[in-house]
Amino acid sequence: MKNITFVLDSGSDYESFLSTFFNYPVRVVSLHIIIDGKEYLDGVDITKQKFYQEMGKAKNLPKTSQPSPQQFLDVFNEELEKGNQVLFIGLSSKLSGTYQSALIAKNMLSEEEQKNVFLVDSQNVSAPIILQLMKANYLLEKGYSLEEVVEQLETFRLKTNFLALLDTLENLKKGGRISTTKATIGEILNIKPLVTVKDGLIKSLESFRGRKKGIRKIKELLHDKKNLIDKSILFIVHNYEDRALLEADIEQIDLSHFKERIYLKIGSTIGTYAGINTIAFAYIEE
């Protein structure tokens, strides 16, 4: 049996402490972050903390761009030369060209090499990608081949969910996702959008006047789905500047029935569009 290397992109928000959950090495291919004309490699030239500092000072909304096919090709070649197989799980192809870059890179390999590189479109963002990788790890340890794992993930990815409450409309406005008028009215009315990822796209569920109402809605949704959610693990994904505010919001939602609760900081790619003080929950629906 060949060794296996997992590959993610930085839109997964993966952090090194998560390596303890995996029996295989994990490599991350960075998206590009451009802040006021200066370009960074996400997670290499700029940390999550530094990104939010720079975004706060920037005149314009940061921009993101997918990794080049060459970035993926370099990683694939390095692993293949070691005799390893590769499993890549990437950002939703409907939200980013990252998966397409990986596909181009794979197609640049020889036919024989391509047999050892497997690509999965997560149809999601952030922690749900990590949940899918955890599933892959579990299946491999159970003796599944990579071909079988990819087939299983095509169904499993539909069970990974992401529920996010945004605190500001500013980034959506700057990113051209909503009009300036709508954003201005929303800010005046203290509107907080609740969004999810459905069929690979960001979908608005509801909007609330005030953060507390949004948190209450999340509590209701998680409670209503209580019997349908896998209780083994929950990701609490956020980019709060104030830890006390985060804990105050979390206290309103009973998460005690989850065996493993993992806090994960939203990275540069997702943070560019979500803005500061976003809170999200990533979980598996059975």
Side-chain angles (χ1 to χ4, degrees):
M1 182 181 293
K2 294 184 178 180
N3 292 325
I4 295 167
T5 297
F6 292 148
V7 178
L8 300 173
D9 58 66
S10 58
S12 65
D13 293 332
Y14 180 85
E15 292 187 24
S16 58
F17 76 88
L18 294 168
S19 64
T20 57
F21 289 93
F22 301 105
N23 300 93
Y24 308 92
V26 181
R27 298 188 63 174
V28 179
V29 177
S30 297
L31 276 83
H32 300 258
I33 309 295
I34 302 96
I35 305 175
D36 284 347
K38 186 173 182 179
E39 185 169 330
Y40 304 87
L41 276 178
D42 190 8
V44 177
D45 303 323
I46 189 166
T47 63
K48 293 180 179 182
Q49 182 178 0
K50 181 68 173 176
F51 166 75
Y52 288 108
Q53 292 172 352
E54 293 299 314
M55 184 172 72
K57 297 184 295 184
K59 296 178 181 178
N60 302 301
L61 182 73
K63 296 179 181 179
T64 64
S65 65
Q66 68 228 39
S68 67
Q70 187 64 48
Q71 285 176 261
F72 282 107
L73 186 61
D74 289 344
V75 172
F76 295 165
N77 277 327
E78 286 172 15
E79 296 305 323
L80 291 170
E81 285 172 8
K82 297 174 189 174
N84 297 341
Q85 291 183 306
V86 172
L87 174 63
F88 168 68
I89 305 179
L91 267 172
S92 170
S93 61
K94 294 180 181 178
L95 296 172
S96 168
T98 300
Y99 178 83
Q100 184 64 25
S101 284
L103 183 59
I104 292 170
K106 178 177 177 176
N107 290 334
M108 293 167 71
L109 299 169
S110 70
E111 284 189 26
E112 193 60 34
E113 289 172 328
Q114 289 182 37
K115 294 177 183 178
N116 290 304
V117 176
F118 299 83
L119 310 181
V120 175
D121 178 355
S122 72
Q123 295 188 6
N124 221 309
V125 302
S126 190
I129 299 173
I130 299 170
L131 287 172
Q132 293 176 35
L133 195 64
M134 288 178 169
K135 179 68 170 182
N137 187 87
Y138 171 81
L139 292 171
L140 287 167
E141 290 305 291
K142 288 293 182 181
Y144 284 73
S145 67
L146 270 177
E147 290 90 346
E148 292 168 327
V149 168
V150 170
E151 186 177 339
Q152 290 285 321
L153 288 180
E154 287 179 1
T155 300
F156 180 77
R157 65 187 178 184
L158 303 178
K159 298 180 179 181
T160 55
N161 289 270
F162 193 64
L163 194 61
L165 182 68
L166 308 186
D167 190 60
T168 177
L169 298 172
E170 184 67 16
N171 290 56
L172 293 176
K173 179 190 76 175
K174 288 181 177 178
R177 302 301 175 97
I178 61 173
S179 68
T180 300
T181 301
K182 188 173 182 179
T184 301
I185 294 172
E187 294 292 348
I188 292 171
L189 297 177
N190 196 26
I191 296 297
K192 311 297 180 186
L194 182 64
V195 302
T196 189
V197 181
K198 183 73 173 175
D199 298 325
L201 292 169
I202 305 295
K203 301 287 187 181
S204 176
L205 290 177
E206 202 170 338
S207 293
F208 305 91
R209 291 191 68 175
R211 184 174 193 82
K212 289 183 179 180
K213 290 181 180 179
I215 294 293
R216 281 201 297 270
K217 184 62 178 182
I218 290 176
K219 180 180 179 180
E220 288 174 16
L221 289 172
L222 292 179
H223 181 270
D224 291 346
K225 293 184 175 183
K226 192 171 182 178
N227 295 328
L228 301 174
I229 296 176
D230 184 335
K231 311 300 190 305
S232 62
I233 190 166
L234 174 78
F235 275 93
I236 302 163
V237 192
H238 71 94
N239 56 9
Y240 282 44
E241 296 175 301
D242 185 348
R243 183 76 183 192
L245 176 60
L246 172 63
E247 295 299 339
D249 282 348
I250 294 296
E251 282 179 7
Q252 299 177 56
I253 306 171
D254 181 15
L255 303 176
S256 61
H257 50 287
F258 288 98
K259 182 179 178 181
E260 188 95 46
R261 297 183 293 276
I262 303 173
Y263 286 82
L264 188 66
K265 186 89 170 182
I266 296 172
S268 309
T269 300
I270 309 304
T272 292
Y273 302 99
I276 200 68
N277 289 333
T278 289
I279 186 169
F281 298 88
Y283 55 91
I284 303 163
E285 259 187 57
E286 297 177 329

